[in-house]
Amino acid sequence: MENLMEKIISLSKRRGFVFPTSEIYGGFSGFYDFGPLGVLLKENIKKEWRKAVVFSHDEIVEIDSAIIQNPKTWKASGHLDGFVVEIRECQKCHRRFRVDHLEDDKCPVCQGNLGQPSFFNEMFETYVGAKKDSSAIAYLRPETAQGIFLNFKNVLNTFPKELPFGIAQIGKAFRNEVSPENFIFRIREFEQMELEYFVEPKKSEEYHQKWIDERFKWYLDIGLKKENLKIFEVPKEDLAHYSKRTVEIHYNYPFLKNFGELEGMANRTDFDLKTHSKFSKVDLSLFEPKSRRRFFPYIIEPSVGIERIFLALLLDAYSEEELNSGEKRVVLKFLPKMAPIKLAVFPLLRNKPALVEKAREVYSLLKDNFLVAWDDNDNIGKRYRRQDEIGTPWCVTIDFETLENGTVTLRDRDTTKQTRHLPQEIIKIVKEKIK
Ligand code: ATP
């Protein structure tokens, strides 16, 4: 579809999914705010992730660690020395670019000459405490994973588990990206969902594959189209220093030539627990009573940014259609469980008190069960269009027949067909469909 990204960005702002941050001050590159519908969509993504990654696994628990950790964390993890990108600065316009994103030797913006490559650390620095000198420097975490490794012992002491077991975390991460780009695809403040799954070293390859399969299936379960997803094996020479094997799930983002990273799944070996043991002098190895062995478990890590899923969901769901009436509509075809709002309730006419009163009653009943919107502005057609555009799967209209027999119309977003039901039946139908 032509200009799909422009359409998504405009719809996101117009309907309250995503706003450019600090807009009244001219925005701030690499940062976005999430509006009322954006918050709901993000919540649904987290809910589905928790359901699949945490709650359906007895051996997995979730934590929420601090964004700012002891700075020694980042020395041990390798981020202070290694979380760098190679950059080149244009000698004419002084913009800086990542070398791995450059296509040729000239500045992509003004065609000026590029200077010599140098390295740039993408961690955000801050100061902690009342003295702003080098001893007070700390960092905003660039990933949530390290907070999990640092709490490995704490979690084991409170939730004793046998291998394999996992610790999950959802939280903000910060990266001072050299060139934030493509709406919310590459941003400087984002939210990650990460799982660190601890396994016996000899079983790491088996569990790695299990998680690759499970995570791929999850994307189909939340409604992404299979043809827009791809498994990508990271070549050996590009692997991170801690990784034995990394596999990524790529999505067909329209602004990239050949798909792009949605989720990464690495076999991190025993690097993290070993390195934190060495730097902290706290032994993070595990004693296994069955084999009477002490060793460092290997770690399988599925890691994803919520905003990349958010964008993929919008791109996959967006469609423009012509109805039989000849009318054009924009519709977000989210799966019902992902839709920010499940139902909208309308009185057929806003100036008929009996209809409004009955509609309010139905609205309140449905609201006890689901996220429901109320709309009594404009004609019914316009109300349907508004709900289609934000992906609301069903609209309920209270009309004159409701006053006679209690039934209301239930209009399906995708087929636009209407059927009549009692409000109680609608609760059952919708519950079944959003499972
Ligand atoms: P990329 O190669 O696209 O820069 P990465 O390999 O650096 O990503 P990881 O360090 O593996 O990313 O981070 C795990 C996940 O976090 C990624 O798969 C992605 O979903 C998300 N992520 C990473 N950086 C960003 C960012 N700047 N904006 C939004 N999401 C991000």
Side-chain angles (χ1 to χ4, degrees):
M1 192 184 300
E2 227 182 300
N3 302 326
L4 178 58
M5 274 305 283
E6 279 169 34
K7 288 173 176 168
I8 295 282
I9 294 169
S10 145
L11 186 150
S12 291
K13 185 171 173 210
R14 187 160 32 85
R15 299 308 310 271
F17 282 93
V18 184
F19 304 127
T21 203
S22 326
E23 204 183 6
I24 60 168
Y25 290 109
F28 203 45
S29 174
F31 297 90
Y32 283 89
D33 297 337
F34 286 81
L37 293 179
V39 167
L40 296 176
L41 182 55
K42 264 187 159 188
E43 271 313 301
N44 292 343
I45 295 170
K46 291 183 203 175
K47 188 168 143 209
E48 291 305 315
W49 187 86
R50 281 201 171 102
K51 230 171 27 186
V53 174
V54 187
F55 302 148
S56 66
H57 289 265
D58 290 343
E59 80 285 15
I60 298 178
V61 292
E62 185 179 345
I63 64 162
D64 182 12
S65 69
I67 284 171
I68 299 178
Q69 315 267 2
N70 185 315
K72 286 180 191 157
T73 307
W74 310 109
K75 182 68 192 163
S77 68
H79 282 83
L80 265 183
D81 301 318
F83 197 60
V84 290
V85 286
E86 203 177 1
I87 55 168
R88 292 178 75 180
E89 184 172 317
C90 171
Q91 307 292 287
K92 201 165 137 199
C93 71
H94 298 288
R95 285 188 176 86
R96 293 174 155 206
F97 304 94
R98 266 172 74 159
V99 171
D100 60 341
H101 290 178
L102 282 169
E103 283 184 353
D104 51 42
D105 236 20
K106 287 268 171 198
C107 169
V109 178
C110 76
Q111 270 69 54
N113 289 326
L114 296 172
Q116 286 304 309
S118 60
F119 287 99
F120 174 77
N121 193 308
E122 288 192 327
M123 273 201 297
F124 278 105
E125 283 182 15
T126 186
Y127 294 92
V128 173
K131 215 167 157 196
K132 282 199 173 172
D133 62 14
S134 61
S135 70
I137 293 179
Y139 305 89
L140 304 192
R141 66 180 175 199
E143 60 179 30
T144 65
Q146 299 302 323
I148 295 180
F149 307 139
L150 268 49
N151 280 295
F152 178 68
K153 265 204 137 121
N154 288 335
V155 174
L156 266 188
N157 288 340
T158 47
F159 277 85
K161 298 229 175 269
E162 282 176 13
L163 292 178
F165 67 85
I167 307 177
Q169 172 155 227
I170 297 180
K172 290 268 186 174
F174 301 82
R175 296 184 185 181
N176 195 2
E177 293 279 355
V178 177
S179 16
E181 57 195 352
N182 299 320
F183 190 37
I184 53 171
F185 177 79
R186 185 174 302 285
I187 42 187
R188 290 176 166 143
E189 173 180 342
F190 55 101
E191 212 169 354
Q192 279 188 322
M193 303 192 289
E194 296 196 295
L195 167 69
E196 306 303 324
Y197 198 69
F198 302 89
V199 300
E200 265 182 61
K202 64 173 188 297
K203 293 194 181 153
S204 72
E205 285 167 27
E206 178 195 325
Y207 280 114
H208 192 193
Q209 192 56 47
K210 189 177 154 287
W211 278 108
I212 295 166
D213 298 343
E214 216 170 286
R215 293 302 301 142
F216 191 87
K217 185 176 164 293
W218 184 79
Y219 286 103
L220 304 177
D221 288 347
I222 61 165
L224 293 185
K225 296 178 187 136
K226 197 167 182 187
E227 65 267 25
N228 285 336
L229 294 166
K230 205 160 76 175
I231 290 282
F232 175 78
E233 184 84 36
V234 176
K236 281 251 173 310
E237 61 273 22
D238 295 340
L239 289 177
H241 56 284
Y242 51 75
S243 173
K244 183 175 170 190
R245 180 188 177 208
T246 297
V247 173
E248 294 169 354
I249 296 174
H250 284 196
Y251 176 79
N252 190 10
Y253 294 104
F255 43 81
L256 298 174
K257 273 201 199 121
N258 186 21
F259 289 60
E261 180 174 341
L262 176 58
E263 171 157 348
M265 292 159 296
N267 179 345
R268 298 183 70 115
T269 69
D270 54 7
F271 174 84
D272 306 282
L273 294 178
K274 261 189 179 160
T275 192
H276 284 302
S277 296
K278 189 172 133 209
F279 277 75
S280 68
K281 311 232 170 10
V282 174
D283 183 6
L284 299 178
S285 66
L286 190 89
F287 179 72
E288 204 187 42
K290 241 194 291 172
S291 60
R292 305 200 54 75
R293 276 188 317 137
R294 180 167 281 287
F295 62 93
F296 289 99
Y298 269 33
I299 296 172
I300 306 301
E301 178 197 68
S303 164
V304 62
I306 293 179
E307 291 79 357
R308 290 203 183 170
I309 303 176
F310 191 110
L311 181 54
L313 283 170
L314 284 174
L315 288 162
D316 252 25
Y318 186 93
S319 78
E320 291 172 358
E321 294 177 351
E322 196 171 313
L323 299 174
N324 289 340
S325 59
E327 217 183 326
K328 290 209 170 72
R329 70 165 183 168
V330 168
V331 51
L332 289 183
K333 293 191 164 175
F334 293 130
L335 284 185
K337 67 180 175 186
M338 301 312 290
I341 290 171
K342 307 301 181 212
L343 291 146
V345 174
F346 314 144
L348 181 64
L349 300 167
R350 64 187 297 184
N351 55 2
K352 295 276 179 237
L355 286 182
V356 174
E357 193 185 323
K358 187 70 192 161
R360 281 279 171 204
E361 203 182 287
V362 173
Y363 175 64
S364 134
L365 175 77
L366 295 174
K367 230 171 127 78
D368 282 344
N369 294 274
F370 315 104
L371 257 160
V372 187
W374 169 270
D375 192 355
D376 57 8
N377 274 317
D378 303 316
N379 62 39
I380 289 282
K382 281 192 181 156
R383 296 183 214 167
Y384 284 153
R385 290 301 84 75
R386 278 201 286 271
Q387 296 302 325
D388 288 344
E389 207 188 31
I390 62 169
T392 306
W394 300 281
C395 293
V396 170
T397 301
I398 284 73
D399 56 14
F400 291 104
E401 199 177 324
T402 314
L403 302 181
E404 285 165 25
N405 61 19
T407 62
V408 297
T409 66
L410 183 69
R411 183 254 194 193
D412 181 280
R413 177 195 67 201
D414 299 339
T415 62
T416 73
K417 292 263 171 343
Q418 295 180 28
T419 45
R420 290 203 82 91
H421 306 271
L422 289 169
Q424 285 295 351
E425 289 167 2
I426 291 180
I427 296 176
K428 259 171 78 187
I429 295 170
V430 173
K431 275 198 175 149
E432 193 50 42
K433 296 228 162 116
I434 60 173
K435 255 188 202 159

